[in-house]
Each structure stands twice: as structure tokens, then as C-alpha cells.
Amino acid sequence: MKTFVMIPTYNESENIKNLINKILKLRINNLHIAVVDDNSPDGTWKIVQDISKAKKNVHLLLRKKDKGRGSAGKDGFIYCLKHGADAIVEMDADMSHNPKYIPEMLKGIKNHDIVLGSRRVKGAKEVGRGFIRRLITYIANLYIRLMLGIKVRDCNSGFRCFTREIMEKIQPEKLESKGPSIVQEVLFKAHLKNARIKEIPIVFVNRTKGHSKLGIPQLATGYFMVLKLKMLSVMGRI
Ligand SMILES: Nc1nc2c(ncn2[C@@H]2O[C@H](COP(=O)(O)OP(=O)(O)OP(=O)(O)O)[C@@H](O)[C@H]2O)c(=O)[nH]1
Ligand SMILES: [Mg+2]
């Protein structure tokens, strides 16, 4: 099985080397890492480029024109499928998602289409996140679940493992989200394909290095995108 870990990055120079080393230390057979960087001013791409010279299973997708967590994820999924991925792990670069859960995720896709690192199932925990930030995520999660009728408890988690089959059914080339709402768009499209989704509890640790890219504009666009997805599904367009 060929596994790709797909990591969208913007200004993560303080995190990316540490994360790549932690993933490689798992010594998972036939594992590749694809970092999708939007020409980060802090030189994140340069760090990855240097690593990829020494390690052939580390890939850099340097995007100069496009910007956005959404289109970065889209390009990343397409790249992984094109390079023969049988399994695709999607994760953030800010160390909020601990690579130690990857082996369990890869085991889980033996009889599921998606395994999701969840903050909302028994045994899960969120560390270092303020009350307001947790409230924002909680309300967004409630809104998404109610609007889109998804049974998954943590609809905001960007830490997921997909089988090639389900990712092909999701058709990443048709993903519309430019921003973080790609997380919900992918989940909803998988839900519409009756994907078997398993949630495993994770300890989510708030970033300690670098800065959040999540602002009011992204949040507002996210709420609008969920509404749009609902409308499109009601009209049978997705
Ligand atoms: N390529 C690319 N990656 C991005 C962009 N915005 C965010 N990312 C990456 O997407 C992941 C999630 O972004 P975060 O800023 O951590 O968003 P968040 O987790 O919702 O917010 P905090 O963790 O609270 O900061 C991180 O790896 C970011 O570097 C972007 O515009 N382009
Ligand atoms: Mg984060």
C-alpha cells in the first residue's frame, strides 16, 4: 500500500521540519509526504525543498499564483492520486495533529472509507485552546451537522485518512472551496457517496508556534459555503 501524507502549509517554518521528521520516524512502509505551500514569505517551502533533495519520498508542491487552504488541499489530493496513492492522510502543519495517530488511521481504512481524528468522541481532548476559540468551533460544528445532516461528530477536523476509492468518488478536481471550508465540502461529498466514516479520539493540541490563518472572512465564507452545499444537494447538483 502506497501512503501519502498531504500537508497544506502557509508560514509554518517553525513547525514543518519537526512534523516531517516525526512522520518519517514512524517508519511506515512506502510512505510519501506531499507539502502544498503557497510560496510562504517565511520560507517554509525552502525548508521542504532542502529536505526533499535528501529524501526522495518528501515532495514539495510550490504554488506561486493560487492562495488558500481550500485550493491547496484540492491540488494536494489531485497530486497524491496522480502519484499512485492508495491511502491519503490529510493533516495540518502546526503540530495540532499528532502523527502518532497515523498507523491507527491506516489500520482503520481496511474496513472504512475514511478515518477521522476527532475531538468530539469519547477519549478525545482539546489542549491549549481558549474558551472563545472552542465555542467558535463548537457552533460551527453544530451548524454543519444540522445543515448537511452529517452524522460525524467533529465536522471541522482536517486530520483524516481517505482510501483512494473514496477520494476518486469525491472527485477533487471538482472541489470549489478556496478556503478552510474544503474540510466540510470533502466530508459532505463523501457523506453523499455513503462513505463509511470512522472517528478515532485524538488529543488536539493548539498550535504553539506560528500564527493562525483562520479569520472572520474565512469563517464567514465557511458558513456561506455550507449553505451553498445544502442548496446544491437539494437541487441535485452534487
Ligand atoms: N497552502 C496553504 N495552506 C494554508 C493556508 N491557510 C492555512 N493553511 C494551512 O492549513 C493548516 C490549518 O491552518 P490553521 O491556521 O492552523 O487553521 P486552524 O487550525 O483552523 O486555526 P489555528 O490552528 O487556531 O491557527 C495549517 O497547516 C496551515 O499552514 C493557505 O492559504 N494556503
Ligand atoms: Mg491549526
Side-chain angles (χ1 to χ4, degrees):
M1 176 158 91
K2 188 172 189 177
T3 300
F4 261 86
V5 179
M6 192 279 290
I7 310 168
T9 57
Y10 193 69
N11 287 345
E12 302 285 358
S13 62
E14 298 170 276
N15 291 311
I16 197 61
K17 193 169 184 174
N18 181 18
L19 179 64
I20 290 174
N21 288 338
K22 276 198 160 58
I23 296 169
L24 295 176
K25 274 211 187 83
L26 295 169
R27 302 206 178 296
I28 295 168
N29 189 31
N30 205 4
L31 179 132
H32 291 251
I33 298 173
V35 174
V36 188
D37 187 79
D38 290 0
N39 205 17
S40 296
D42 76 350
T44 303
W45 59 273
K46 185 78 179 63
I47 296 168
V48 179
Q49 196 173 61
D50 293 345
I51 296 171
S52 69
K53 284 189 185 121
K55 300 210 169 11
K56 293 300 165 226
N57 61 339
V58 175
H59 310 241
L60 170 66
L61 278 72
L62 178 55
R63 306 181 336 138
K64 297 235 166 131
K65 287 198 309 312
D66 281 350
K67 281 251 175 311
R69 164 71 181 82
S71 56
K74 174 180 177 175
D75 290 354
F77 290 136
I78 293 169
Y79 182 92
C80 295
L81 288 177
K82 213 162 105 225
H83 288 76
D86 299 305
I88 302 171
V89 175
E90 173 194 28
M91 67 188 303
D92 291 350
D94 59 1
M95 304 310 283
S96 292
H97 299 152
N98 191 320
K100 73 178 182 185
Y101 297 109
I102 296 175
E104 188 182 350
M105 289 177 152
L106 293 174
K107 254 196 242 107
I109 56 165
K110 289 205 170 58
N111 41 30
H112 294 86
D113 302 302
I114 300 175
V115 176
L116 188 148
S118 178
R119 294 162 289 189
R120 305 230 174 285
V121 291
K122 199 163 170 304
K125 217 162 70 178
E126 241 178 308
V127 176
R129 264 210 163 155
F131 173 74
I132 299 295
R133 189 71 176 73
R134 277 188 285 124
L135 187 65
I136 289 171
T137 309
Y138 181 81
I139 294 169
N141 202 40
L142 214 53
Y143 168 74
I144 296 158
R145 295 183 71 212
L146 289 174
M147 285 289 282
L148 302 180
I150 299 175
K151 300 282 172 290
V152 167
R153 306 197 57 82
D154 188 351
C155 296
N156 290 305
S157 175
F159 192 16
R160 312 177 283 189
C161 181
F162 305 86
T163 62
R164 178 181 191 85
E165 291 68 30
I166 193 65
M167 186 50 72
E168 285 173 340
K169 282 186 187 161
I170 291 167
Q171 299 178 296
E173 63 283 0
K174 291 194 178 154
L175 291 171
E176 299 188 31
S177 300
K178 295 276 174 285
S181 62
I182 189 175
V183 169
Q184 290 81 38
E185 184 180 356
V186 166
L187 192 61
F188 185 49
K189 288 182 173 174
H191 165 78
L192 293 176
K193 302 286 180 193
N194 302 316
R196 299 161 299 158
I197 305 175
K198 179 182 183 186
E199 292 186 79
I200 60 169
I202 63 165
V203 176
F204 178 99
V205 181
N206 199 38
R207 70 167 57 240
T208 54
K209 295 195 175 113
H211 304 287
S212 176
K213 281 81 192 179
L214 189 76
I216 302 296
Q218 286 86 2
L219 268 178
T221 316
Y223 274 82
F224 172 75
M225 176 52 92
V226 168
L227 199 56
K228 186 176 175 190
L229 289 168
K230 176 75 177 179
M231 310 292 279
L232 288 172
S233 73
V234 169
M235 296 189 291
R237 295 255 303 280
I238 50 175

